[in-house]
Amino acid sequence: MIACFITEMTGIACERARLPHLHAQPFALRDDKGLLAAVSPEAFPFGVRRGQAATFARSLCQGLVVLPYDTAVYLEAAQAIWDTVAVESSIVEPVSPEVVFAEISGTGLLERIKELADCIADAIGAGVCVGLGKSKLVAIQAARLSEGNPVMVAAGRERPLLSPVPLADLPALKPALVAKAEKLGVHTLGDLMALPVRETERQFGQSAHHLRELAKGDDGDRVRALWPPRIVEYALRFDDEVTDEGAIHHALGLCASHIARMLAIESRYCRTLTLEVEMNKVSSVLREELNEPTHDPGFLQRAAIRLFDRLKISEPVTRLHLEAGEISAGSGVQLSFLDESDENGKLSFDDRKSLDAAVKHLKEKYGVGAVVNGGLVHQAQRIHLWTYPLGHVSDEAVRVVTNPGGLPVRLYREMPRSHETLHYMIVEVQNQWRETDWSWGKLSEKTCYRVATEPDGLYELHQLGGQWRLRAVAD
């Protein structure tokens, strides 16, 4: 089952922690569009609600204090909530400071989730809404209906829950598709299910299957293991206490080389480096944010040595532990084009620090998607790739069944003209690789597969989140 935890009071709790005078006073948090993103319980009796314009809310409650929504602070505070959820599940996906998904299995789900929700509520001093269902869509809708107790939607009972959901509230649907549906009088998932299958296919074409699956609660968007953040680490313990600086620098080089090799295998780059130096019953730790994402062993070794020098260790060293964090698919090579005065095409250290500070400020103010490195756009990362281009290019929504390891094992194609569903068994995954694209205002990473099927066929499948598309077919 998938569980969704909604903690609408996260931001409210944060502001009251740093501004004690707001206790027992009605106040709200305003987003960049001037709409209320969170409202304190004291403002409810006046009719103040989320989604209202701040000016209108002030007219309802004269003493209402409206503060800007501080995303960076609330995300940091929400990490304690995510850690609590991660104790119960190894697959946790934070979506915002208020919403987090998790895969939950085993017996006594409702009791375990209730205990978890109570633990979170005690930490933030406010109630937690929890829903359980077969998909993210079902879980979040169930959570929105819960009032103090978790709501679990059994398989096959999703339709009454989803029927009132407006299509405009589904982020998986493109605005143009929603506008077209509303022109046809289809405003909710219930309206969609009321349409005959052939009429749905006639009006929405290739999107018809996806729409009907959503109405059944099958969004195809599985929970991703995004928390705790992934790290790559390596530790080296000395047989004897070491004081020689050259030996320590050499050991740091070995640690850096191991980490760089692990990152390079997966075409990943790290953004931070943390060094822990252990001495006799004492340890010192220092973390540095790197100038650019990297998996270069020389760069990592220099950064590690720089951290060691800054620690100013005077005692013999017994153990070194190096840890790379903030791992992602994007490199920072595009920054080299920004400084023409450098004959090597690289920014100076001070310029890089200034640029990083500016980018960090923009992301904190306008969201993490406000600034995107140009080098991330359509950067293919191929894993043992020898494949050649297939002859027939396609862009067809398909349904794919995967095994527990996430690899595709069955393929279903809906043929719009004959209204026939073709079924293929995937007998071999010949190759897989990752690609990063910029589309619809955000950066998205997809996984690509070259598969052989039975009946005989060769296909290229792309997986973006829970959506699958057939992008190429062998002639």
Side-chain angles (χ1 to χ4, degrees), residues 175-194:
L177 183 61
V178 174
K180 180 179 180 180
E182 291 180 342
K183 287 181 180 179
L184 298 171
V186 179
H187 300 279
T188 67
L189 289 176
D191 295 337
L192 184 67
M193 289 301 290

Side-chain angles (χ1 to χ4, degrees), residues 247-276:
I248 293 173
H249 288 184
H250 176 70
L252 290 173
L254 294 177
C255 295
S257 296
H258 179 85
I259 290 174
R261 184 167 60 255
M262 296 299 295
L263 291 172
I265 288 173
E266 301 181 15
S267 295
R268 288 293 191 263
Y269 303 82
C270 67
R271 194 67 176 80
T272 62
L273 201 63
T274 303
L275 174 64
E276 179 185 8

Side-chain angles (χ1 to χ4, degrees), residues 76-325:
E76 184 175 353
Q79 292 179 10
I81 298 174
W82 306 339
D83 287 338
T84 303
V85 177
V87 172
E88 186 67 37
S89 171
S90 60
I91 304 178
V92 178
E93 180 182 353
V95 176
S96 70
E98 293 82 17
V99 179
V100 58
F101 291 99
E103 280 192 8
I104 305 291
S105 60
T107 59
L109 288 181
L110 279 176
E111 293 77 8
R112 288 158 51 199
I113 292 300
K114 181 68 168 61
E115 292 178 2
L116 195 57
D118 291 341
C119 182
I120 296 173
D122 291 340
I124 64 175
V128 179
C129 299
V130 188
L132 291 128
K134 67 178 182 180
S135 67
K136 285 183 178 179
L137 176 60
V138 175
I140 195 170
Q141 296 302 325
R144 288 168 178 165
L145 293 179
S146 69
E147 297 179 358
N149 291 308
V151 174
M152 184 166 67
V153 182
R157 301 294 183 89
E158 296 86 7
R159 187 164 181 173
L161 172 74
L162 299 178
S163 290
V165 176
L167 297 183
D169 290 350
L170 300 175
L173 298 183
K174 299 176 183 178
L177 183 61
V178 174
K180 180 179 180 180
E182 291 180 342
K183 287 181 180 179
L184 298 171
V186 179
H187 300 279
T188 67
L189 289 176
D191 295 337
L192 184 67
M193 289 301 290
L195 286 178
V197 175
R198 290 197 175 187
E199 180 64 15
T200 306
E201 292 174 345
R202 187 179 72 84
Q203 295 291 349
F204 300 105
Q206 293 184 349
S207 301
H209 176 73
H210 178 51
L211 288 170
R212 295 189 68 83
E213 290 295 302
L214 281 177
K216 297 175 186 176
D218 295 322
D219 57 12
D221 188 9
R222 62 186 180 185
V223 181
R224 295 174 294 167
L226 300 182
W227 191 263
R230 186 180 168 224
I231 60 172
V232 176
E233 58 186 340
Y234 191 78
L236 194 154
R237 182 175 293 278
F238 298 106
D239 294 333
D240 298 309
E241 295 180 342
V242 176
T243 57
D244 180 63
E245 189 176 83
I248 293 173
H249 288 184
H250 176 70
L252 290 173
L254 294 177
C255 295
S257 296
H258 179 85
I259 290 174
R261 184 167 60 255
M262 296 299 295
L263 291 172
I265 288 173
E266 301 181 15
S267 295
R268 288 293 191 263
Y269 303 82
C270 67
R271 194 67 176 80
T272 62
L273 201 63
T274 303
L275 174 64
E276 179 185 8
V277 180
E278 189 175 309
M279 295 149 282
N280 186 21
K281 298 181 180 181
V282 181
S283 64
S284 295
V285 180
L286 192 60
R287 177 179 181 271
E288 178 180 345
E289 185 171 328
L290 304 176
N291 294 333
E292 63 182 42
T294 185
H295 59 208
D296 177 76
F299 191 104
L300 292 175
Q301 181 183 15
R302 290 191 294 273
I305 292 174
R306 187 163 60 246
L307 286 171
F308 180 81
D309 292 342
R310 284 166 55 191
L311 284 172
K312 298 181 179 179
I313 302 297
S314 57
E315 298 182 28
V317 175
T318 58
R319 179 177 177 270
L320 297 171
H321 178 241
L322 197 61
E323 178 184 294

